[in-house]
Amino acid sequence: MFTGIIETVGTLSALTRQGDDLTLTVHAPGLDFSDVKLGDSIATNGVCLTVVSLGDHSYSADVSLETLQRTRFADAKVGMRVNLEKALLPTTRLGGHLVSGHVDGIGEVKSRSASGRAIEYWIAAPEALSRYITEKGSIAVDGISLTVNAVEGNLFRLTIVPHTAHETTIAEWKPGFKVHLEVDQIARYLERLMQGRAAETGSTLTMEKLARSGFL
């Protein structure tokens, strides 16, 4: 589990194809490796990866075919910058929100504009994910815990303050840029729970029923 609060930005320093999957190496001099060991999880651009080897300020991780099919790592290149976060501890401050590191889909940056000192982005989510995205709710974008400030169909708006832009890869986002999306876990589990209840009672889950139950 992660919080979506990025610890540092690393760089892909090596990519080794292993048949249908690959092993990537991330150089991250800004990450504290003192408590990292083999088998630990590190969220890499929002993707939970398992450390299989450690180097000098770096780690390597295997990326399965399943992960390649669901993320941008299929098109990764050496030099790509990635947001990094080690798995949370029981004593970690939950400054963002609960993030699993399991990417739900790929979004696309549609626009970027200045809003005072902040930057506003509109991002298009896959239609299948749009129902989980709500105004003032949380979403992880490339591993970053962010607040949704507006929703229009499958589009949602983010307002990025200078500190967040400086400490992450957000400054690289331009129209057309693809990003990893992970929706709020509570929304997914709630939907599954309601579907199970609907199956037991023979009823169907609707937005009206969610509203009546106080979830919207």
Side-chain angles (χ1 to χ4, degrees):
M1 298 295 294
F2 307 91
T3 67
I5 303 300
I6 303 305
E7 296 181 56
T8 190
V9 174
T11 304
L12 296 188
S13 58
L15 294 168
T16 305
R17 295 289 170 180
Q18 309 277 5
D20 289 334
D21 52 31
L22 62 81
T23 298
L24 58 79
T25 300
V26 179
H27 182 60
L31 193 68
D32 178 10
F33 283 95
S34 63
D35 59 351
V36 177
K37 61 183 184 301
L38 298 185
D40 282 356
S41 297
I42 297 179
T44 308
N45 253 20
V47 183
C48 178
L49 297 179
T50 300
V51 175
V52 297
S53 67
L54 290 165
D56 185 17
H57 303 297
S58 67
Y59 67 93
S60 295
D62 294 329
V63 183
S64 68
L65 178 60
E66 168 73 12
T67 301
L68 291 175
Q69 291 174 336
R70 290 181 175 270
T71 69
R72 293 192 292 119
F73 285 137
D75 302 317
K77 294 180 174 56
V78 170
M80 174 180 171
R81 293 183 356 118
V82 289
N83 299 310
L84 303 177
E85 180 192 355
K86 295 184 293 186
L88 63 82
L89 301 171
T91 55
T92 302
R93 288 184 176 178
L94 191 58
H97 70 285
L98 289 176
V99 177
S100 68
H102 301 156
V103 172
D104 292 306
I106 304 294
E108 180 179 344
V109 176
K110 305 304 288 185
S111 68
R112 166 180 172 154
S113 60
S115 177
R117 295 175 56 236
I119 306 172
E120 288 193 342
Y121 291 94
W122 280 95
I123 296 178
E127 292 288 348
L129 295 183
S130 61
R131 65 180 181 270
Y132 303 113
I133 302 172
T134 183
E135 184 175 347
K136 298 307 176 185
S138 296
I139 190 168
V141 184
D142 273 356
I144 311 162
S145 174
L146 298 169
T147 299
V148 176
N149 284 323
V151 177
E152 293 182 5
N154 71 318
L155 298 173
F156 63 94
R157 177 168 58 83
L158 304 172
T159 303
I160 309 299
V161 298
H163 175 80
T164 303
H166 182 265
E167 297 296 323
T168 67
T169 61
I170 288 179
E172 301 172 7
W173 296 359
K174 304 290 191 300
F177 194 85
K178 301 296 178 63
V179 291
H180 296 149
L181 301 179
E182 182 187 330
V183 298
D184 186 13
Q185 293 184 52
I186 295 175
R188 289 189 301 185
Y189 286 120
L190 173 61
E191 179 185 54
R192 182 58 179 165
L193 178 64
M194 295 295 287
Q195 286 175 340
R197 182 177 300 173
E200 292 174 359
T201 61
S203 62
T204 57
L205 176 66
T206 65
M207 296 301 287
E208 181 182 358
K209 288 181 180 179
L210 286 174
R212 285 204 306 268
S213 299
F215 295 115
L216 296 176

